[in-house]
Amino acid sequence: MGNIRKVSVIGAGNMGGAIAIGMAAGGTVLPSDIVVTAGHQLSIDRVRAAYQEITGFTDNSMAVRGADLVILAVKPRQLPDVVSEIREAVDYGSTVIASVVAGVVFEDLYGMFGRMPDTPMYRIIPNTAISRLKSTTFIASDRDVPVISEQIDTIFRSMGDVIWTDERMLSCGMSLASCGIAYAFRYLDAAIRGGMALGFSEVESSRAVLSTMEGALAILKQGGTTPRQEILKVATPGGYTARGLQTMDDKGFDDAVHSALRSSAG
Ligand SMILES: NC(=O)c1ccc[n+]([C@@H]2O[C@H](COP(=O)([O-])OP(=O)(O)OC[C@H]3O[C@@H](n4cnc5c(N)ncnc54)[C@H](OP(=O)(O)O)[C@@H]3O)[C@@H](O)[C@H]2O)c1
């Protein structure tokens, strides 16, 4: 296995399409070295509208021939059929197989392919911010082969942050970051609607909530403090913020967040 140059994304939907476009935008893979497949030509056209040089096929077995890296990005229920289409065409001595399919473990993948490939396999869990090159991506490999893992890391790090973990922690990573982005949107949505209930227009409330969130992130990103420490700087005992935080406690805010994370971790 040499350098990863040619990458085929099987299933150019929301996630697969964003990965294909993100790899091209991130500059780690040349658009002309990227192949995508989908069930419908329209989905392929959507990706190629961003980068004409990306090649599209509706035939999965054609797409994996000559690929250095194959990324499986179909829905879990579509995966067995897709794998049976490509099983005979994969070069198991040189092609690296990665899957972003949530909940399908390495053992399941070996079963579908009918073997354990000679190269390491990767399970990759990004979130939808990958379309803005701001994904939080959890990655697990079934074997430790640094020369390949470093290349996988480079590709996905060009599309955001990467956290390597054990396979058993992937569902927790998915909960924290892939489902978690929806929880972040949920807080933002609640705060925007709350601002409207206080009397602001939707535009004013959205502006205020989004820029407040950006400010909070900017403070934390400069390093040196935790969210709890920053809360203490704002919440004077007996003051307005302390009153609001107490109301959040009374309404079970932390418990709701922790319960959501536990329930989506499977
Ligand atoms: N969305 C997330 O936040 C997220 C996060 C982490 C992991 N994932 C994983 O990403 C995977 C894809 O999710 P998604 O949200 O991107 O779903 P999606 O938008 O429905 O994408 C699935 C893609 O697979 C294509 N497809 C279906 N059958 C195919 C076949 N036989 N051959 C080739 N392509 C085929 C579909 O083509 P058509 O569009 O033409 O029908 C579609 O483009 C899932 O397994 C999910 O667990 C998603």
Side-chain angles (χ1 to χ4, degrees):
M1 171 72 221
N3 285 341
I4 292 176
R5 194 168 64 83
K6 290 179 172 288
V7 182
S8 294
V9 181
I10 308 299
N14 291 319
M15 188 48 72
I19 291 172
I21 292 169
M23 286 188 300
T28 51
V29 184
L30 288 174
S32 54
D33 284 330
I34 299 171
V35 171
V36 296
T37 72
H40 304 90
Q41 186 62 39
L42 193 65
S43 307
I44 292 170
D45 293 345
R46 238 179 263 137
V47 174
R48 295 193 67 244
Y51 288 94
Q52 274 294 318
E53 306 94 313
I54 292 178
T55 306
F57 289 122
T58 46
D59 180 333
N60 292 316
S61 64
M62 291 239 319
V64 301
R65 289 207 171 86
D68 300 313
L69 171 64
V70 170
I71 301 174
L72 302 167
V74 295
K75 293 279 191 199
R77 66 174 187 284
Q78 297 158 339
L79 190 63
D81 285 348
V82 163
V83 172
S84 70
E85 285 173 38
I86 63 172
R87 203 165 33 206
E88 304 299 322
V90 171
D91 178 348
Y92 294 95
S94 65
T95 302
V96 174
I97 298 169
S99 165
V100 303
V101 183
V104 177
V105 300
F106 286 127
E107 285 298 330
D108 297 331
L109 289 164
Y110 301 154
M112 286 181 214
F113 279 97
R115 57 172 293 167
M116 185 199 228
D118 306 332
T119 54
M121 260 193 181
Y122 294 87
R123 287 189 55 207
I124 299 173
I125 301 292
N127 69 18
T128 50
I130 202 162
S131 63
R132 295 287 174 271
L133 307 184
K134 290 277 186 195
S135 176
T136 303
T137 302
F138 285 87
I139 307 183
S141 64
D142 68 345
R143 273 156 282 175
D144 186 24
V145 182
V147 70
I148 302 178
S149 296
E150 280 160 17
Q151 296 182 65
I152 299 287
D153 186 82
T154 301
I155 291 172
F156 280 87
R157 209 167 281 280
S158 75
M159 296 182 274
D161 195 9
V162 170
I163 298 171
W164 286 83
T165 189
D166 291 340
E167 181 175 42
R168 66 184 173 81
M169 287 301 290
L170 279 183
S171 60
C172 300
M174 180 185 73
S175 177
L176 197 56
S178 306
C179 310
I181 198 167
Y183 307 152
F185 288 130
R186 183 70 181 261
Y187 168 79
L188 293 169
D189 178 61
I192 290 167
R193 285 186 291 111
M196 291 162 69
L198 290 176
F200 291 107
S201 69
E202 186 171 0
V203 171
E204 288 167 337
S205 188
S206 297
R207 268 180 58 194
V209 169
L210 295 191
S211 63
T212 301
M213 187 59 81
E214 276 174 3
L217 291 176
I219 288 171
L220 293 176
K221 278 184 176 168
Q222 79 190 356
T225 58
T226 64
R228 278 180 164 239
Q229 289 167 328
E230 292 301 334
I231 287 171
L232 288 176
K233 288 185 193 170
V234 188
T236 315
Y240 292 112
T241 311
R243 208 189 297 167
L245 290 166
Q246 184 60 53
T247 305
M248 289 176 104
D249 286 344
D250 295 345
K251 297 283 184 187
F253 181 81
D254 286 12
D255 190 37
V257 173
H258 296 168
S259 299
L261 289 171
R262 269 197 305 276
S263 62
S264 58

